[in-house]
Amino acid sequence: MGLDSAQKGQEGLPHAQGRVFHTLDDYLAHLLKMGMQDRPFYEHAGANRYRLNAGRGGRGKPPQYFTREELMRKYGFSE
């Protein structure tokens, strides 16, 4: 039996700096820390909604919103 993605974690994610993440929440927390270095991160924007904060590169662009399910699919998390 093989390991599912939650057990082996996700590798090669954008701005992960070589780290492996087992949950979307762990990855989002890492991106939030990276946001201090002007990297993109997601801000919780209400029930099941996240807004992409693209830093200085996103100025003047309309905000982008994602559901938790969309982010899980986008980054390959199952739980």
Side-chain angles (χ1 to χ4, degrees):
M1 252 184 168
L3 296 175
D4 66 20
S5 63
Q7 291 173 315
K8 63 183 174 184
Q10 292 296 349
E11 300 178 70
L13 295 172
H15 306 288
Q17 296 184 317
R19 293 185 54 193
V20 175
F21 297 93
H22 296 280
T23 68
L24 177 63
D25 291 329
D26 289 343
Y27 180 54
L28 294 178
H30 171 76
L31 291 179
L32 182 61
K33 287 181 190 174
M34 296 302 296
M36 290 185 260
Q37 300 173 10
D38 201 34
R39 303 270 175 92
F41 65 95
Y42 295 91
E43 295 177 285
H44 197 244
N48 196 37
R49 249 179 103 160
Y50 295 84
R51 182 176 68 85
L52 176 61
N53 184 323
R56 286 183 280 211
R59 286 186 183 153
K61 295 181 183 177
Q64 293 181 359
Y65 291 92
F66 300 88
T67 65
R68 182 174 184 80
E69 290 76 22
E70 288 172 327
L71 292 178
M72 289 181 73
R73 277 193 307 272
K74 181 176 182 170
Y75 296 115
F77 292 100
S78 60
E79 289 186 26

